[in-house]
Amino acid sequence: MLGPRQEAQAALFYEFSLEDHVPQDHLLRSIDRFVELSSIRSHLADFYSHTGRPSVDPELLIRMLLVGYCFGIRSERRLCEEVHLNLAYRWFCRLDLNDRIPDHSTFSKNRHGRFRESELLRHLFETTVARCIEEGLASGQRMAVDASLIEADANKQNSTPKEDWDAASIDSADAPRAVREYLDTLDEAAFGAASEVQPKFTSHSDPASQWTAARKGPAFFSYSDNYLIDTDHGVILDVEPTRSIRQAEVGSTQTMLTRVKDKFGLVPDWMIADTAYGSGPMLGWLVDRKIDPYIPVIDKAGRPDGTWTRTDFDWDAQNNQYICPEGHAFKQFRRNYSDPSRGPTGKGTARYRALKEVCQVCPSKQKCCPNAEARKITREEHEDARQVARDLAKTEEYQIAMKLRKKVEMLFAHLKRVLGLGRLRLRGPCGANDEFLLAATAQNLRKLAKIFPAPQQTRKA
């Protein structure tokens, strides 16, 4: 039987509960159990004026930002619309049906002011990491590090070639915020001081971003999002923005490991990374701190002519010499120099030589140095640490480590495909830092919600 058409009729009184209209298995119900914002008021107390009109509740702003980053809502204008319409979002933000949504400009006002001055987003991220550790999701025994390129909000049409760019000619008083941040970071290892090589192009709107073609495709301006994770459950322990160059990315590893140790007291037994992190100084830094580097070594000792490489010679650490396969000694110095400038230089690279008269009559000369009178071997400053990494690469644990390293790559895939952070919306180093911190916080909260979902309540018949 065809039913009558339903028409909406206004009622004089409504009895409505948001709690009853949010599904029990909704992701926000699980996330809400792990959002701890009770400390942000005391954290921000010194950054608010004691006079004037009451400001927007900072907890509301943070909850709205978490909704945006957890569900990939990249626009703050759209975020305000979604929170206004979506009942689950209102419930998570502690808003009633009659409560007004803050204007989108409120986010910019707080972000560029008290949020950055107080490092609130860093505090929020570390609070979430502490909760992950408390729940047993991060032991700190094995950590992995990697970086991923995130496209900056800049394009080549608004850029200058390196030969025409002069940072000293910029008037900071009349420059946009992103340009002022660029000038402030010129001496930081993560940005301007990471390398003396100047990028091919510099963006006018975001000069701290790096012009790069690392993906083997069309070049673009980008930042690097660096993650330090615990491989137990893929929890992000720290995050750091840098320019998209190897020196800055590798340097951020030391920054993040030091910060995690100081904040949470975590020092890993294993450090897992790809070949980009296998330089001598990086391996030496890890080995000095009793951290096993499960990292492929950057080694250019191979010889294209098929002759013996450095690995074919045995190192005699006790006598500071190499022994060739024929049993001859390669020494760095064969006498004491009265002039200190002719002795060891201390510059990190040592050269070991065989005697010319020995090499000339050696039966294996064609396999060793067919085109030279005598063979020379160069030893890097951190060769001992490099050898530790080579020895670890021969173990079964190394194969396990290479599989665990994929967890950080999976987090970057989730960041771009699920959370939608393939391109930055904010400009400058501070903008990149804000977005990376919020995205990492959202990923950790989603991890907690997935492993510890909210208990389901049975509905009454």
Side-chain angles (χ1 to χ4, degrees), residues 54-70:
S55 61
V56 178
D57 183 6
E59 181 176 344
L60 170 60
L61 297 179
I62 293 299
R63 284 184 175 273
M64 290 181 65
L65 287 173
L66 289 177
V67 167
Y69 279 84
C70 284

Side-chain angles (χ1 to χ4, degrees), residues 397-409:
E397 289 81 2
Y398 182 81
Q399 303 302 323
I400 299 174
M402 291 300 101
K403 294 179 180 179
L404 293 175
R405 189 177 65 82
K406 296 181 180 179
K407 290 190 176 184
V408 66
E409 297 176 353

Side-chain angles (χ1 to χ4, degrees), residues 268-272 286-287 290-295 388 392:
D269 297 327
W270 293 16
M271 189 69 237
I272 307 170
L286 292 171
V287 172
K290 305 297 187 295
I291 302 174
D292 292 339
Y294 287 87
I295 304 173
V388 170
L392 290 174

Side-chain angles (χ1 to χ4, degrees), residues 214-233:
R215 292 177 179 170
K216 308 301 181 183
F220 58 96
F221 289 105
S222 72
Y223 285 92
S224 284
D225 188 6
N226 299 272
Y227 274 2
L228 176 68
I229 74 163
D230 185 283
T231 60
D232 291 350
H233 293 88

Side-chain angles (χ1 to χ4, degrees), residues 11 21 39 76 91 100 179 235 314 324 329 332 348 354 367 376 385 397 401 410:
H21 287 77
S39 62
E76 287 170 357
W91 173 86
R100 296 187 60 181
V179 178
V235 171
D314 296 328
C324 77
Q332 184 181 9
K367 297 180 181 180
K376 302 175 183 178
E397 289 81 2
M410 294 169 61

Side-chain angles (χ1 to χ4, degrees), residues 7 17 49 101 157 220 239 269 288 294-295 327 350 371 380 420 432 444 449 458:
E7 295 185 1
S17 173
S49 173
I101 308 299
Q157 285 70 29
F220 58 96
V239 56
D269 297 327
D288 289 345
Y294 287 87
I295 304 173
N371 302 320
E380 302 294 335
N444 281 344
T458 58

